[in-house]
């Protein structure tokens, strides 16, 4: 099967690429660094030619609602149009558990993405997952004001990216399924504690205060809105196991 992974050089995307290749698929990793801009649409039709399935793991690093919505609207619309032109039979999108219960900030873009996919003409599957363990590293890098780092207050049940990637490839190999069963990690964690533990594990400890992000986006992060429901599948990889794999690295 020929699988194009949009965002195939990213955190989730590169694991999807590796897993799909291990299973013997013909895999193309699509990103700006490989010459294709999904936001402008330049080069997209060529990149998707002969693809059976597109797995969308594109991302934009922002908390701003407008920026997020613009990115996910543009990239999703361009992907779906190009898929329609070249006859791709299945679009698989990676989304976030309960993003539609908190359509604010970054999640605004995820809700827009899901809506375009479900209303589009390309048969689809959407997999919603909780935050990755690596979200601790992403927040460590992104959450700072000048030299000061902080950790957003958030209740989360993080999941191992390897388990997300395996599930995405399972779904890509199967027929379009609509909304797939949500996938979460094995247990609830505090994002602030995760960020601090990540900093210590990579030799960059120090004072990292837990800060409530403002507005409805921040409230949804704190009040448990983003936690999985009882019907979600639960993976087995824990945050502690992920941390142990870092052992002094600066991942
Ligand atoms: N991080 C989490 O905890 C988490 C949890 C649940 C769901 N998700 C979802 O998982 C998806 C992937 O997140 P991630 O953290 O793995 O992303 P990431 O590491 O930021 O990677 C983003 C990928 O998108 C590519 N990209 C960005 N803009 C592009 C453009 N205009 N055209 C083509 N490629 C572009 C990047 O490559 P270039 O920069 O080279 O273009 C990169 O390959 C997102 O949709 C996110 O909402 C994330």
């Amino acid at each position: 099967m020929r699988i194009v992974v949009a965002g195939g050089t990213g955190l989730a995307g590169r694991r999807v690429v590796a897993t799909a290749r291990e299973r013997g698929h013909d895999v193309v990793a699509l990103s700006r660094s490989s010459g294709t801009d999904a936001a402008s649409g330049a080069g997209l039709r060529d990149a998707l030619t002969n693809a059976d399935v597109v797995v969308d793991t594109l991302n934009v690093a922002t908390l701003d609602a407008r920026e997020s919505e613009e990115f996910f609207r543009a990239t999703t619309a361009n992907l779906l149009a190009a898929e329609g032109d070249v006859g791709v039979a299945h679009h698989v999108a990676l989304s976030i558990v309960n993003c539609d219960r908190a359509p604010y900030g970054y999640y605004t873009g995820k809700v827009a993405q899901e809506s375009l996919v479900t209303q589009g003409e390309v048969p689809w599957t959407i997999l919603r997952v909780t935050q990755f363990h690596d979200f601790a590293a992403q927040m460590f890098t992104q959450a700072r004001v000048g030299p000061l780092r902080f950790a957003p207050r958030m209740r989360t049940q993080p999941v191992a990216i390897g388990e997300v990637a395996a599930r995405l490839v399972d779904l890509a190999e199967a027929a379009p399924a609509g909304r797939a069963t949500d996938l979460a990690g094995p247990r609830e964690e505090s994002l602030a504690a995760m960020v601090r533990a990540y900093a210590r594990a990579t030799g960059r400890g120090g004072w990292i205060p837990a800060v409530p992000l403002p507005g409805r986006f921040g409230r949804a992060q704190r009040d448990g809105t983003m936690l999985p429901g009882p019907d979600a599948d639960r993976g087995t990889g824990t945050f502690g196991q992920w941390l142990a794999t870092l052992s002094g690295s600066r991942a």
Side-chain angles (χ1 to χ4, degrees), residues 7 9-12 32-33 37-38 57-59 94 106 110 132 138:
T9 57
L11 214 48
R32 288 168 301 183
S33 50
D37 188 338
T57 65
L58 293 169
N59 193 33
L94 175 57
Y106 173 81
K110 299 305 290 180
F132 310 147
Q138 290 180 314

Side-chain angles (χ1 to χ4, degrees), residues 6-13 30-34 36-40 56-60 71-72 75 94-96 106 110 113 129-132 135 138:
T9 57
L11 214 48
L30 183 158
S31 69
R32 288 168 301 183
S33 50
S34 65
T36 308
D37 188 338
S40 71
D56 180 2
T57 65
L58 293 169
N59 193 33
V60 60
F71 176 85
F72 283 108
T75 55
L94 175 57
S95 192
I96 300 177
Y106 173 81
K110 299 305 290 180
Q113 174 187 17
V129 306
T130 51
Q131 290 62 48
F132 310 147
F135 193 52
Q138 290 180 314

Side-chain angles (χ1 to χ4, degrees), residues 61-152:
T62 184
L63 293 179
D64 182 74
R66 206 174 68 179
E67 208 181 319
S68 176
E69 184 168 355
E70 273 175 15
F71 176 85
F72 283 108
R73 272 197 190 287
T75 55
T76 306
N78 288 337
L79 275 177
L80 293 175
E83 289 168 25
D85 285 349
V86 302
V88 172
H90 188 183
H91 180 95
V92 179
L94 175 57
S95 192
I96 300 177
V97 165
N98 290 334
C99 59
D100 57 332
R101 290 182 55 202
Y104 322 118
Y106 173 81
Y107 304 130
T108 309
K110 299 305 290 180
V111 174
Q113 174 187 17
E114 287 193 352
S115 149
L116 286 174
V117 171
T118 57
Q119 289 164 27
E121 285 171 12
V122 180
W124 55 273
T125 303
I126 293 175
L127 174 67
R128 286 180 172 182
V129 306
T130 51
Q131 290 62 48
F132 310 147
H133 295 142
D134 314 57
F135 193 52
Q138 290 180 314
M139 284 302 103
F140 178 80
T141 307
Q142 289 170 25
R144 57 193 304 168
V145 182
L148 284 183
R149 294 186 192 278
F150 64 92

Side-chain angles (χ1 to χ4, degrees), residues 1-4 20-21 23-28 50-53:
M1 184 178 264
R2 186 173 174 86
I3 302 176
V4 172
R21 284 193 177 135
R23 295 193 198 177
H25 296 296
D26 172 16
V27 186
V28 176
N50 297 325
D52 299 297
V53 184

Side-chain angles (χ1 to χ4, degrees), residues 196-212:
R196 291 188 189 117
Y198 169 79
R200 280 194 306 274
T202 55
R204 292 170 291 185
W207 186 59
I208 304 180
V211 171

